Amino acid sequence: MRFERREHRSTLLVIATPILAVVAALAIAGVLIALAGAPVFQAYWKILTSAFGSRLSATETLTRASPLILTGLAAAVAFRARLWNIGGEGQFYLGAIAASAASVHLFAGLPSLLQIPLLFAVGAVAGMVLLLVPLSLRLRFSVDEVVTTLLLNFVALLFVSMLIDGVLKDPAAFGWPQSEAVDAAARLPKLLARSRLHIGLGIAVVIAFLIYFVQTRTVFGVQSRAAGLNPSGAVFAGVPLGRTLVIVAMISGGLAGLAGTIEVLGVKGYVTTDLSPGYGYSGIVVAMLANLNPLGVVLAALFTATMFVGADGMSRSMGIPTYIADVTVALSLLSMLVAVFFTQYRIRR
Amino acid sequence: MSALFDILASAGLWAAVLRIATPLILGTIGALLSERAGVLNLGIEGIMTFGAMVGWLTVYNGADLWVGVLAAALGGAMFGLLHSALTVTLGLSQHVSGLGVTLFASSFAYYVFRLMVPVAGTPPTITPFQPLDIPGLSSLPFFGPAFFNQTAPTYLAIGLAIALAYVIARTPVGLAIRMTGENPHAAEAQGVNPMAVRYGAVIAGSALMGVGGAFLTLSAFNSFFPTMVQGRGWICIALVVFASWRPERALLGAILFALFDAFQLRLQTVLNGVVPYQIFLMIPYLLSIVALAVMARRARVPQALMQPYRRGER
C-alpha cells in the first residue's frame, strides 16, 4: 500500500472533508458515551437541545463562539505562514488584563465611542507584544516558537494572577483575586436584550471577512502564504520573510489579545484566572477544523461552542463527564488532519 | 547570603532535586529518543497527563504500584502509536499532530478519571512508593538523606537515561535510530527500515513519557488532579534542545533544572511576602526559554527532524 498525490481536488471533496471529520469524531466519542452506559443518540440530542433548545442557550452558545472565532483566526492567520503561535491562551489573558487596567486607570470616564476602540487597541497590542518575543527569538536565535509560545502561556497566566492578587486587585472583592470592574462606558453593548450576547460576535465575524479579503486579494496575503509554503522559495521570489512574519505575528497576537479584551468587556467586566476555559487552545482546533480558512473559522467556532455549551447541559442530566466535549473537539482535530490528508493523497496498492 | 548557603547545604534540597528531576528525566529521554529518529512528539504533555491518570487509577483499583507504572507505559505507548500512524505513515505535520495528541490524551484522561472517580470533597489517595532503604548508603551522614533516600522509580529513571545513552551511542539499534534521524534515505539504502525505526522510537519514547507522568501520582504525590502536569512536558521538549539531543546531557540538564526549581521553592519561603509567589512559579518556564535561546544555535539538530519520510519521494 502506498500513497499517491492527487492531481486535482474536487470542490465537493474539500467541502465534505470537515463534515466527514466531525462525523468520525462524533462516532468515536459516541463509543465513549456508550461505554459510560448512556444512550448515545439521546446524549447527542441532549447536546443539541442544550446548545440551541431555548433563547437562553442559543445566545449562550453564540456568546461562547465569539472569542473562539477570534482565537481561531489568530491561529489560522499564523499557521498559514507556518508561524506556530500556540500562545493564544497567554495572549488572550494579557489582552484582557491590559484592557481592563487601561479602562480603570487611564480611560475611566471617556465616552464609550472613544473608550472601547482605545481599549481594543490596548488589548491587541498586549497580545502582539507577547507573540513578538518568541518571534524575535526565532528570527534571532532560531528557537522553535512552538515551545516558547507554549511556555509563555504559563508565564502570562502567572503574571495576570500576580496582578489581580496585587496592584490591580479589586479591594471590594472580599479578598478574591480579581481585577477592578471596568468603567461602565467600557462595557460592550448587548446584541440582544436580556442575554449575555454582546456585539463581540458581530465584530469577530466582520474581522473574519476582512481577513478573508486580505488573504485572497492583497499582496500581503500572497506573501504570508508563500512564507508558509516555501520560505526559501519565497525569499527568492522577493518576499521580505522577516517583515512578513512580523506582520503576521502582530495580526495573530493582536487577534488573540482582542479576543481577551472583548471577553472581559463583553461578558464579565473584570478579570479572574478562569476568564478563559482554554479559548486559546481551542482556537488551534477551530483553525485546523476550518482548514485555516477565515470564513470556515466562524463555522468551526460555532461547532466548538455548541459542543462545550451542549455538553454542559448533557452532563448535568445524563451523568456523563463534561470532558466529553474536550474529547470530541480534540478527536475532530485529529480526524480533520487525516481527512485533509486524503483530499491530497489517494491510496494505491 | 548565609540564608542562601543554608539552603544549598541542606540535605532536603538535594533530596528534592532528584524528586523533581525524575519526571523531567523520563519525559526528556522519551522525547529525545523519538527526536533522534526524526519525529518531534508534542503529544508529551498529554501523554504525561494520561500516564499520571492511568497509573494512579490502576493502583487505586487495587493493583500493585509497579503494575501502575506498566499501565502508564502501555497507555503512553498507545498514544505513541497514534502519533506515529499520523506522522510516520501519513507524514502529517508533526507540530499539529502532536498538539492534537496532547489535546486528546489529556481530555481523554480527565474524562476517564471523572467517569471512574466521582466528585468528592477531598480527592481519593493511594499509598505511593516509599523511599528505598539502601543498606550502607542511606545511613550515610548528609549523602544518605540527600541522594540515597529516593523512591525506586527515581533510580529507574537515572538508570534508563544512562542505558539510553549507551544504546544510542554504542549499539546497532542506536546507529539505526541516528541514521533514520539524520538521513532516512541513506538509512534505507543500508537496509534499515526508517518507518519501523520511527514507529519503534516514538512508541518507546511515549512509554517513557507515560511513566514520567505516573511518577507524579505514584511517588511525588498520591492523588490525581487535572492540569497537574503543569507544562512539564513542554519543559522536557526544551530540555532536549538544551541537551543537544544527547541522553547523558539530558540527565544532567534535568537535574540542573530541578536544582533551580528546588532552590526557588525554598527561596520562596525565605522571601515570603517580599516577592509575590507567582514570580517564583514563573522561573522554571522562563529558565526553559532562556536555555532554548542560549542553546538552539549551538545544538546539533538531527537533520531529518520533522521531515516526513516517503519512499521514492524526496
Side-chain angles (χ1 to χ4, degrees):
Chain A
M1 185 184 85
R2 53 191 294 255
F3 302 113
E4 185 185 85
R5 204 170 256 282
R6 283 181 200 264
E7 296 287 311
H8 100 143
R9 289 184 282 167
S10 69
T11 324
L12 182 69
L13 198 60
V14 173
I15 295 173
T17 310
I19 299 170
L20 282 174
V22 165
V23 170
L26 289 175
I28 303 173
V31 174
L32 294 177
I33 294 176
L35 286 178
V40 178
F41 289 102
Q42 224 170 307
Y44 279 134
W45 179 246
K46 193 79 203 165
I47 287 181
L48 207 60
T49 50
S50 310
F52 286 106
S54 65
R55 182 180 182 276
L56 177 73
S57 58
T59 55
E60 191 56 32
T61 304
L62 291 174
T63 310
R64 282 286 274 271
S66 318
L68 281 173
I69 295 174
L70 290 169
T71 54
L73 287 171
V77 166
F79 288 7
R80 216 168 117 100
R82 293 280 157 87
L83 173 72
W84 299 107
N85 175 16
I86 320 296
E89 189 76 4
Q91 293 145 20
F92 180 98
Y93 272 105
L94 220 52
I97 195 73
S100 75
S103 170
V104 175
H105 296 287
L106 282 180
F107 305 139
L110 288 185
S112 293
L113 269 177
L114 193 59
Q115 186 172 169
I116 290 175
L118 277 173
L119 294 176
F120 282 0
V122 168
V125 167
M128 279 177 207
V129 169
L130 190 62
L131 184 54
L132 286 175
V133 174
L135 178 67
S136 54
L137 286 176
R138 164 172 161 184
L139 295 175
R140 181 87 41 98
F141 300 106
S142 7
V143 180
D144 185 6
E145 72 275 18
V146 172
V147 187
T148 43
T149 48
L150 275 167
L151 290 166
L152 282 175
N153 284 340
F154 293 89
V155 177
L157 193 57
L158 285 166
F159 180 65
V160 168
S161 150
M162 181 177 86
L163 292 179
I164 62 179
D165 206 7
V167 285
L168 296 180
K169 187 171 182 170
D170 182 1
F174 305 105
W176 291 107
Q178 67 182 48
S179 70
E180 272 178 77
V182 297
D183 195 22
R187 299 300 302 265
L188 298 185
K190 293 273 182 268
L191 218 50
L192 268 176
R194 293 181 296 112
S195 80
R196 300 210 303 166
L197 190 61
H198 51 81
I199 58 163
L201 179 68
I203 296 172
V205 172
V206 168
I207 291 179
F209 275 95
L210 268 177
I211 289 178
Y212 180 77
F213 176 80
V214 168
Q215 286 189 341
T216 52
R217 298 277 184 276
T218 67
V219 175
F220 171 73
V222 177
Q223 287 181 337
S224 71
R225 193 170 157 76
L229 285 176
N230 183 349
S232 47
V235 172
F236 189 70
V239 173
L241 193 62
R243 203 177 73 195
T244 307
L245 285 178
V246 168
I247 299 175
V248 168
M250 289 171 72
I251 298 176
S252 174
L255 285 170
L258 185 63
T261 309
I262 286 185
E263 186 69 4
V264 75
L265 301 185
V267 178
K268 264 177 153 180
Y270 56 90
V271 179
T272 54
T273 48
D274 60 359
L275 181 70
S276 156
Y279 284 134
Y281 298 107
S282 307
I284 298 163
V285 184
V286 167
M288 297 309 296
L289 266 185
N291 211 358
L292 309 188
N293 180 318
L295 302 182
V297 162
V298 177
L299 294 177
L302 203 58
F303 162 73
T304 309
T306 305
M307 280 313 296
F308 281 123
V309 175
D312 269 348
M314 189 271 282
S315 157
R316 267 193 302 275
S317 65
M318 303 184 82
I320 302 286
T322 44
Y323 292 117
I324 194 67
D326 303 80
V327 174
T328 314
V329 168
L331 277 172
S332 37
L333 165 67
L334 291 173
S335 50
M336 182 66 187
L337 290 177
V338 176
V340 168
F341 175 82
F342 283 110
T343 61
Q344 289 164 346
Y345 288 84
R346 66 173 95 230
I347 300 176
R348 271 291 151 88
R349 285 175 204 287
Chain B
M1 275 325 275
S2 76
L4 296 188
F5 183 77
D6 284 348
I7 293 175
L8 281 173
S10 76
L13 172 86
W14 294 96
V17 167
L18 288 182
R19 192 168 59 239
I20 294 171
T22 305
L24 298 176
I25 295 172
L26 288 164
T28 308
I29 61 172
L32 187 145
L33 174 59
S34 74
E35 286 184 39
R36 280 309 282 264
V39 182
L40 174 70
N41 188 355
L42 292 181
I44 182 166
E45 181 83 6
I47 293 173
M48 287 180 83
T49 307
F50 189 79
M53 189 285 296
V54 83
W56 182 89
L57 194 64
T58 309
V59 176
Y60 180 66
N61 283 318
D64 184 70
L65 283 163
W66 287 106
V67 178
V69 172
L70 190 70
L74 285 177
M78 186 177 82
F79 287 106
L81 181 65
L82 174 65
H83 187 57
S84 352
L86 295 172
T87 58
V88 181
T89 304
L90 300 185
L92 298 176
S93 156
Q94 297 179 3
H95 278 138
V96 183
S97 165
L99 290 169
V101 170
T102 277
L103 289 175
F104 177 46
S106 48
S107 53
F108 186 55
Y110 304 153
Y111 178 75
V112 173
F113 179 73
R114 243 321 126 249
L115 203 58
M116 308 299 254
V117 184
V119 185
T122 51
T125 57
I126 54 149
T127 312
F129 279 105
Q130 300 302 314
L132 276 189
D133 185 30
I134 307 171
L137 293 176
S138 298
S139 50
L140 287 175
F142 183 75
F143 292 98
F147 301 108
F148 299 107
N149 200 20
Q150 302 292 329
T151 61
T154 298
Y155 301 114
L156 177 75
I158 296 172
L160 282 172
I162 296 169
L164 185 69
Y166 176 80
V167 168
I168 286 190
R170 303 279 155 143
T171 65
V173 177
L175 184 61
I177 294 173
R178 280 183 285 143
M179 282 172 74
T180 306
E182 298 294 334
N183 188 339
H185 298 277
E188 175 134 58
Q190 293 289 322
V192 170
N193 180 348
M195 300 289 210
V197 170
R198 285 191 167 177
Y199 261 88
V202 174
I203 292 173
S206 305
L208 288 169
M209 296 168 185
V211 175
F215 180 84
L216 295 174
T217 47
L218 300 183
S219 183
F221 310 105
N222 55 6
S223 58
F224 174 83
F225 50 92
T227 72
M228 74 184 301
V229 175
Q230 282 290 338
R232 282 185 181 83
W234 312 132
I235 289 172
C236 289
I237 296 287
L239 279 172
V240 174
V241 180
F242 180 73
S244 195
W245 285 270
R246 293 174 48 179
E248 66 281 6
R249 291 198 196 167
L251 178 60
L252 290 179
I255 291 175
L256 187 68
F257 187 89
L259 174 62
F260 275 107
D261 206 21
F263 187 72
Q264 65 89 2
L265 279 173
R266 276 159 182 74
L267 206 58
Q268 215 170 307
T269 51
V270 176
L271 295 178
N272 190 21
V274 186
V275 182
Y277 71 95
Q278 291 95 341
I279 294 275
F280 291 103
L281 293 182
M282 284 179 203
I283 292 175
Y285 307 110
L286 293 173
L287 208 59
S288 306
I289 295 172
V290 171
L292 277 173
V294 172
M295 291 304 291
R297 277 265 166 94
R298 265 186 264 169
R300 263 282 286 113
V301 190
Q303 290 302 300
L305 182 62
M306 292 192 264
Q307 285 167 15
Y309 175 72
R310 289 200 185 92
R311 232 163 247 147
E313 236 182 65
R314 285 205 306 140

